[in-house]
Amino acid sequence: MAGVRLESVGKTYPGGVRAVDGVSLDISDGEFIVLVGPSGCGKSTTLRMIAGLESITDGDIFIGDRRVNDVAARDRDIAMVFQDYALYPHMSVGRNLSFGLLRRRRHASRIKAVFSSSYRGASRKERLDIQSRVNEAAVVLGLEDLLDRRPRELSGGQRQRVALGRAIVRDPSVFLLDEPLSNLDAKLRGEMRTELRRLHRQLGATMVHVTHDQEEAMTLGDRLLVMKDGVVQQGGPPAQLYEQPANRFVASFIGTPEMNFIEGVIEDGLMFKADGEVRIQLPKDRWPSLSVGQQITLGIRPEHLELASDGDAMFTGEADVVEQLGDRTDVILANDHRRMTARIASGSGLREGDSASLRADLSQAHVFAVDDGENRIATK
Ligand code: ADP
């Protein structure tokens, strides 16, 4: 096992697309890191540069203590798992698992030999070693009964497990996972997430996982790296990103339903004023740096809003969407000026078309600067 370090790594594709810009990252040995961000933000390129599948334009990449900028992919001691599984359709599960090991020997005659069912030509020790590694991986992933099947005879989840198994048998220093769960349906994706976590615990391996799905990132990662336009916006454990987003982008990207944002101005006595006669008294000691006349964006997560009587409401609108989710209900209230999403307790009886008011827990609210960076303004 080994850690991975990126120092100011950048990538400009031929044609001039700057896909990754100045990414620095220190991944500890055994850590589960998730690179997350919207499509096109540069996460796959970053992963592929770690893998050695893409050249680096600037910066350095280290795996363990070794600088690998110029080391070929096959010599980096990594294993990569792809979204499309990349299994060999004509080989059984067992052969799919063992093939990578055999190919690495780079002796054509041996490969040929091991393709015959008797493994003729490989030494007894090699045979036993490969078999035991395949068996171990099969047990870890619950594939023991499927070793003779072809990929087409497997479900999507089983195929993805074989793809993972193929990485495991190689016993790499680092696992690189490129959207490995994206082709699975929602239920299976949930199950495979749990399985990946368990696998990570069991193997104690360094894993770098790429996804555009913030929920997947939050449930999997020890630490997340949120990217946008090739630049890391914030890195940290899931709870930190949720509670202290560095800027409006991270705040909107992390958490579902998405945070509500209201742009307005600070008036005397830390009164926040926005279009639509919104007037919210901000807690006086929470944002000591705010000054009268300052433009800000107030951010409030749906789960920090609740139904209110008119008297202490910050927003009144008509229920446009009411989604019953069992233990809770997501509602979108709209008026002429804005739409607000609230996650409220079930049993309110609120129906689409009803008028309703919301109150916010301002101790959980965030304030963002209105400028290019839209950084979060520190609380006391
Ligand atoms: P993500 O994985 O976050 O969706 P990518 O790393 O695949 O993003 O892509 C980052 C940016 O680089 C995008 O603008 C994409 O169009 C561009 N890009 C990716 N691969 C290539 C390539 N081979 N040639 C040119 N541009 C590319």
Side-chain angles (χ1 to χ4, degrees):
M1 298 300 158
V4 177
R5 198 166 82 248
L6 277 64
E7 289 182 359
S8 306
V9 169
K11 172 75 184 181
T12 306
Y13 280 108
V17 177
R18 184 72 174 161
V20 175
D21 193 26
V23 170
S24 292
L25 169 64
D26 207 339
I27 306 171
S28 319
D29 189 3
E31 198 175 15
F32 199 141
I33 281 271
V34 182
L35 306 182
V36 64
S39 177
C41 73
K43 38 192 201 302
S44 287
T45 301
T46 304
L47 195 76
R48 292 169 63 82
M49 286 192 287
I50 299 173
L53 300 174
E54 208 67 73
S55 64
I56 303 165
T57 312
D58 36 68
D60 291 303
I61 297 183
F62 297 84
I63 296 179
D65 294 329
R66 186 164 67 133
R67 180 173 173 277
V68 295
N69 291 30
D70 304 313
V71 175
R74 65 172 178 279
D75 298 324
R76 289 194 185 190
D77 196 16
I78 52 100
M80 191 141 169
V81 180
F82 298 92
Q83 176 176 358
D84 62 2
Y85 321 131
L87 302 179
Y88 299 103
H90 57 289
M91 291 185 202
S92 68
V93 167
R95 293 246 176 110
N96 263 288
L97 291 176
S98 56
F99 182 65
L101 291 179
L102 299 166
R103 194 172 51 173
R104 292 178 90 204
R105 280 156 214 268
R106 278 185 261 152
H107 294 301
S109 60
R110 286 217 182 122
I111 292 171
K112 211 165 133 206
V114 181
F115 265 113
S116 77
S117 55
S118 64
Y119 284 59
R120 253 180 296 120
S123 76
R124 184 177 150 72
K125 183 172 174 318
E126 278 173 334
R127 264 184 353 238
L128 289 177
D129 181 37
I130 290 170
Q131 271 173 3
S132 84
R133 284 215 226 170
V134 167
N135 287 339
E136 266 173 40
V139 169
V140 167
L141 293 165
L143 293 169
E144 304 102 303
D145 298 333
L146 306 175
L147 289 172
D148 293 327
R149 290 210 201 159
R150 297 285 159 92
R152 67 167 183 278
E153 297 165 323
L154 302 176
S155 69
Q158 289 167 332
R159 278 180 214 167
Q160 192 49 273
R161 244 176 261 154
V162 178
L164 279 170
R166 211 168 38 176
I168 291 172
V169 295
R170 292 181 52 183
D171 192 21
S173 292
V174 182
F175 287 79
L176 303 175
L177 310 155
D178 193 0
E179 303 252 5
L181 310 184
S182 296
N183 281 353
L184 306 175
D185 65 47
K187 183 164 178 292
L188 250 177
R189 211 158 51 228
E191 288 169 17
M192 285 300 287
R193 269 187 216 158
T194 315
E195 206 157 307
L196 262 183
R197 281 295 316 174
R198 178 181 61 80
L199 206 60
H200 175 250
R201 235 186 6 252
Q202 210 166 332
L203 301 172
T206 309
M207 293 190 170
V208 189
H209 181 110
V210 158
T211 180
H212 62 275
D213 179 342
Q214 64 87 25
E215 201 173 300
E216 182 174 311
M218 296 286 275
T219 50
L220 279 177
D222 296 327
R223 197 149 57 99
L224 272 50
L225 219 66
V226 181
M227 293 182 71
K228 179 194 170 205
D229 299 336
V231 177
V232 173
Q233 302 293 305
Q234 188 175 7
Q240 189 182 344
L241 299 196
Y242 175 85
E243 288 162 12
Q244 298 158 18
N247 56 35
R248 178 172 169 168
F249 175 80
V250 175
S252 70
F253 191 76
I254 298 291
T256 44
E258 191 184 324
M259 187 184 281
N260 299 286
F261 297 101
I262 309 173
E263 290 187 22
V265 64
I266 298 294
E267 294 191 333
D268 222 8
L270 231 54
M271 184 65 82
F272 172 75
K273 182 169 171 292
D275 287 350
E277 293 174 26
V278 169
R279 289 173 68 80
I280 300 172
Q281 176 64 61
L282 300 183
K284 292 225 167 52
D285 52 355
R286 191 162 156 75
W287 292 281
S289 73
L290 292 183
S291 54
V292 173
Q294 191 173 347
Q295 294 284 333
I296 62 157
T297 303
L298 185 65
I300 305 170
R301 293 198 186 277
E303 52 272 40
H304 300 140
L305 287 166
E306 59 183 356
L307 292 180
S309 55
D310 282 354
D312 58 354
M314 59 155 286
F315 181 82
T316 299
E318 189 173 292
D320 189 25
V321 179
V322 177
E323 287 179 350
Q324 308 280 358
L325 298 166
D327 60 329
R328 59 188 193 275
T329 301
D330 286 349
V331 299
I332 299 176
L333 297 184
N335 64 20
D336 290 344
H337 297 276
R338 61 183 54 82
R339 296 163 71 78
M340 297 283 285
T341 307
R343 172 159 281 187
I344 60 176
S346 285
S348 68
L350 188 69
R351 304 228 301 257
E352 284 169 9
D354 289 353
S355 178
S357 296
L358 296 172
R359 176 174 55 201
D361 176 0
L362 291 170
S363 71
Q364 305 280 352
H366 300 283
V367 170
F368 302 93
V370 178
D371 57 17
D372 286 351
E374 297 187 303
N375 287 333
R376 189 172 62 98
I377 292 173
T379 51
K380 201 162 96 180

